[in-house]
Amino acid sequence: MKRHQLKRKVKEKQTNDKRKEIEKPVKIDNKIIKYTTTYLNTIQKSIILFNSKKYSDCYQYLLSHNVIRNENEFAELLLISNGYDKSNIGNFLSKDTYELNKDYKLLNYYIQKIQFTNVPILTSLRFLLSRINLPSDSNLLLKIIEIFSNVFYADNKSYGIYKDSNCVYLLCSVILAVNTLFCRKDINNIKKITKEEFSSMNNDIDKSIC
């Protein structure tokens, strides 16, 4: 066989070997696939239970399938996972009538999972409201704002901006009230307030932040 023919044969063999290597199926551990599928199916079923307002069933189901170990991790899952209805989260966490949320334990866990340190209050409040829909009942709504204010103040106490958690609570209440007035289409003839008027409304809260 001539030299150039031998080179061509060798080159063809190398090309075929590379093609075969590319065509080899990727080997995936079946245990990994099974675990991932099982986990996703478990989360999906828990979402269905939670969105059906079967909160205790949802918790027990996740617990029995080793997705979570306690209420703290349940609160974290509600915060970071998509799919759980935000209105249901607000309804659930704002009531201590549920055994799981006795003394607002889960609500505290939920809000404490959010990083508020050195984050502006408006940004912090917006993030919370992006993860949870506030209840229409004012008493339930204010309970969430109360816990938020306590946690936010504790995280930022060292900066000396807010004199106490009550200051944060009142400021959040005013922000929500003004936002509601301007966003509700069923309220007519709303007089827009200026920045100076808004500051004047909050003079009794803390002059340093108005």
Side-chain angles (χ1 to χ4, degrees):
M1 183 180 293
K2 293 182 179 180
R3 187 174 179 180
H4 72 277
Q5 291 177 325
L6 181 60
K7 282 185 177 181
R8 188 176 62 190
K9 286 287 185 181
V10 171
K11 189 173 181 179
E12 287 177 354
K13 186 177 185 305
Q14 290 175 341
T15 303
N16 290 333
D17 288 342
K18 286 183 180 180
R19 185 179 294 112
K20 287 178 182 179
E21 186 66 30
I22 294 171
E23 291 174 352
K24 282 183 180 179
V26 178
K27 292 183 179 179
I28 300 176
D29 191 334
N30 289 332
K31 290 183 180 180
I32 295 176
I33 295 176
K34 184 178 180 181
Y35 174 80
T36 304
T37 303
T38 301
Y39 178 82
L40 292 176
N41 287 340
T42 302
I43 293 294
Q44 185 61 40
K45 185 168 182 180
S46 75
I47 289 173
I48 293 172
L49 288 170
F50 188 88
N51 292 351
S52 300
K53 299 184 179 180
K54 298 177 181 179
Y55 307 128
S56 294
D57 291 345
C58 174
Y59 174 73
Q60 292 299 331
Y61 180 77
L62 290 168
L63 206 62
S64 65
H65 286 74
N66 300 315
V67 175
I68 58 172
R69 292 172 294 182
N70 48 47
E71 295 97 330
N72 197 328
E73 291 185 359
F74 184 42
E76 183 175 10
L77 187 68
L78 293 178
L79 174 65
I80 66 175
S81 301
N82 294 322
Y84 295 100
D85 186 86
K86 292 193 288 187
S87 294
N88 281 4
I89 294 175
N91 174 70
F92 174 50
L93 296 182
S94 64
K95 297 178 181 177
D96 68 344
T97 51
Y98 298 109
E99 186 61 32
L100 273 174
N101 195 35
K102 197 69 177 175
D103 298 324
Y104 300 101
K105 178 170 58 177
L106 271 175
L107 177 57
N108 275 282
Y109 286 152
Y110 185 91
I111 295 181
Q112 286 168 5
K113 293 292 180 182
I114 305 173
Q115 167 68 328
F116 295 128
T117 305
N118 202 24
V119 179
I121 188 169
L122 191 57
T123 302
S124 299
L125 190 58
R126 281 175 174 167
F127 178 81
L128 176 65
L129 299 184
S130 73
R131 304 303 303 166
I132 184 174
N133 288 347
L134 294 176
S136 56
D137 186 307
S138 60
N139 291 325
L140 301 180
L141 180 156
L142 291 175
K143 174 53 67 174
I144 293 176
I145 297 304
E146 178 188 338
I147 303 299
F148 164 80
S149 301
N150 293 339
V151 175
F152 181 87
Y153 174 72
D155 285 353
N156 292 279
K157 186 176 180 180
S158 61
Y159 295 99
I161 300 174
Y162 306 96
K163 58 185 178 183
D164 52 35
S165 60
N166 190 53
C167 162
V168 179
Y169 176 80
L170 293 174
L171 182 58
C172 288
S173 300
V174 172
I175 290 172
L176 290 175
V178 172
N179 185 71
T180 300
L181 285 173
F182 284 105
C183 291
R184 286 186 56 177
K185 296 180 180 179
D186 57 329
I187 302 178
N188 299 319
N189 302 320
I190 298 176
K191 179 183 177 296
K192 291 185 178 181
I193 63 173
T194 64
K195 182 178 179 180
E196 290 71 23
E197 288 173 329
F198 179 81
S199 297
S200 177
M201 291 168 59
N202 292 282
N203 277 343
D204 292 335
I205 296 175
D206 193 336
K207 291 182 180 180
S208 65
I209 58 175
C210 296

